């Protein structure tokens, strides 16, 4: 497909708008049996397509398809299993909606197969560090990429929460990864940064990143916040389970937008698109 038509062109236009104040909503489509909130919900292609069509109608600008749960303690599926989960769903969702698809993976082989199947963007929670082939792939593909901060592996990341200043440390790391991406040939306008809420962070560190998100947004790249339904919110809401953390997600999303976030990655698209519309209007952007 030519670069500037279809979902690829639409995503380029959306990211241009995001740099001038529009907030984009990324709907989460986990094709996993074990995701912390929606595990098993979209595990077959038919259910995933239904979920995708619904989220697109509810206002998702991007659909994020992932085949690996990265919740604390999760084990990585085999490459064959991740490909088996992700590729048919990307193909089916691309056929069913015109909404740009992002593939949430740390593996270059999965990213490449998903791009071939119709995805327009790569979302790598390892910040292009897990797989040495990922950075060259993204540069070659010329697609947008979300670089997220984490440490270690999902299985052990909650033992890696020692920072001197979590916001300064995450900011410096994200900048170094963005510089590495640019040096490898990724255009700056295709780079999105994400502080990685819930990834190798204590609850207090997650909150500090939201409170001081402006320091990361000031780097000049669009910033994504992915706090949807995460356990820090459950803690603040008296132990509520994931599906009862809507208000917490709304609060963090609105404050993140006020502090410079350009994208929010959420499960509850209809509700959060409305939160984003109001927060975007209030924020001086
Ligand atoms: N969080 C998760 C997965 N991918 N990508 C980005 N860019 N930012 C995030 O914060 C982020 C992400 C984890 O959440 P979820 O997909 O809901 O759960 P699971 O990893 O259990 O599938």
């Amino acid at each position: 497909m030519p670069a500037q038509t279809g979902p690829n062109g639409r995503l380029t236009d959306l990211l241009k708008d995001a740099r001038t104040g529009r907030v984009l909503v990324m709907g989460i489509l986990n094709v996993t049996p074990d995701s912390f909130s929606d595990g098993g919900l979209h595990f077959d292609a038919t259910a995933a397509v239904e979920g995708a069509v619904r989220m697109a109608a509810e206002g998702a600008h991007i659909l994020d398809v992932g085949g690996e749960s990265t919740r604390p303690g999760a084990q990585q599926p085999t490459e064959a299993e991740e490909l088996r989960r992700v590729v048919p769903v990307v193909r089916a969702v691309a056929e069913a909606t015109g909404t740009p698809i992002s593939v949430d993976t740390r593996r270059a082989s999965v990213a490449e197969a998903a791009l071939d199947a119709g995805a327009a963007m790569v979302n790598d929670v390892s910040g292009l560090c897990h797989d040495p082939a990922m950075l060259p792939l993204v540069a070659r593909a010329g697609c947008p990429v979300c670089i997220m901060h984490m440490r270690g592996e999902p299985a052990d990341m909650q033992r890696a929460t020692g920072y001197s200043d979590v916001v300064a440390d995450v900011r410096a790391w994200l900048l170094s990864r963005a510089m590495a991406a640019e040096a490898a040939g990724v255009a700056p306008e295709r780079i999105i940064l994400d502080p990685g809420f819930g990834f190798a962070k204590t609850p207090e560190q997650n909150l500090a990143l939201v409170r001081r998100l402006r320091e990361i947004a000031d780097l000049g790249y669009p910033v994504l916040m992915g706090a949807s339904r995460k356990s820090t919110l459950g803690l603040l809401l008296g132990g509520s389970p994931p599906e009862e953390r809507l208000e917490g997600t709304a609060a963090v999303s609105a404050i993140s937008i006020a502090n410079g976030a350009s994208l929010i990655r959420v499960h509850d698209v209809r509700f959060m698109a409305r939160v984003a519309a109001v927060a975007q209007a209030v924020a001086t952007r």
Side-chain angles (χ1 to χ4, degrees):
M1 186 174 295
Q4 295 311 312
T5 60
N8 294 303
R10 234 176 341 272
L11 184 57
T12 302
D13 291 344
L14 285 167
L15 290 176
K16 212 177 284 168
D17 291 349
R19 281 193 296 278
T20 56
R22 181 167 181 192
V23 176
L24 305 182
V25 177
M26 175 185 268
I28 301 172
L29 207 59
N30 283 320
V31 198
T32 59
D34 58 343
S35 286
F36 80 93
S37 165
D38 57 353
L41 205 62
H42 301 125
F43 200 42
D44 68 76
T46 314
V49 168
E50 277 171 22
V53 168
R54 179 179 43 77
M55 284 192 237
E58 289 176 349
H61 300 102
I62 302 168
L63 298 168
D64 193 38
V65 177
E68 176 192 7
S69 173
T70 48
R71 73 182 193 290
Q75 297 297 325
Q76 191 175 31
T78 64
E79 180 183 355
E81 174 63 14
E82 194 182 346
L83 283 164
R84 194 190 65 73
R85 292 177 186 177
V86 168
V87 177
V89 167
V90 168
R91 190 170 294 115
V93 170
E95 277 166 16
T97 78
T99 307
I101 298 167
S102 148
V103 58
D104 184 351
T105 185
R106 300 186 287 156
R107 287 185 167 119
S109 57
V110 175
E112 186 163 26
L115 291 169
D116 286 346
M121 169 177 163
V122 173
N123 173 25
D124 183 345
V125 299
S126 80
L128 310 174
C129 285
H130 178 77
D131 184 341
M134 188 64 112
L135 184 43
L137 168 73
V138 167
R140 204 167 55 243
C143 63
V145 60
C146 180
I147 295 175
M148 196 198 81
H149 174 272
M150 77 177 294
R151 283 173 167 180
E153 291 286 314
D156 63 10
M157 63 184 175
Q158 288 312 103
R159 290 200 292 270
T161 59
Y163 299 90
S164 53
D165 172 338
V166 68
V167 181
D169 291 1
V170 168
R171 180 186 190 277
W173 188 90
L174 287 173
L175 180 59
S176 76
R177 295 310 298 153
M179 293 295 97
E182 288 192 31
V186 180
E189 62 272 17
R190 301 219 167 87
I191 296 174
I192 296 163
L193 300 182
D194 180 342
F197 189 105
F199 287 83
K201 283 117 195 154
T202 64
E204 187 44 55
Q205 289 166 346
N206 288 324
L207 301 182
L209 284 160
V210 174
R211 193 180 304 123
R212 293 169 52 197
L213 195 64
R214 179 66 61 189
E215 293 172 40
I216 292 170
D218 280 349
L219 290 172
Y221 301 94
V223 169
L224 185 151
M225 176 55 72
S228 186
R229 298 185 180 181
K230 286 186 177 167
S231 64
T232 292
L233 308 179
L235 214 60
L236 293 169
L237 294 172
S240 297
E243 61 284 4
E244 291 174 23
R245 297 174 186 166
L246 200 62
E247 304 88 338
T249 306
V252 169
S253 297
I255 294 171
S256 297
I257 291 166
N259 290 341
S262 298
L263 300 97
I264 54 170
R265 178 182 181 276
V266 294
H267 300 86
D268 306 286
V269 169
R270 191 184 72 81
F271 194 98
M272 296 309 152
R274 291 167 65 83
V275 169
V278 175
Q280 173 186 315
V282 173
T284 310
R285 302 176 62 82

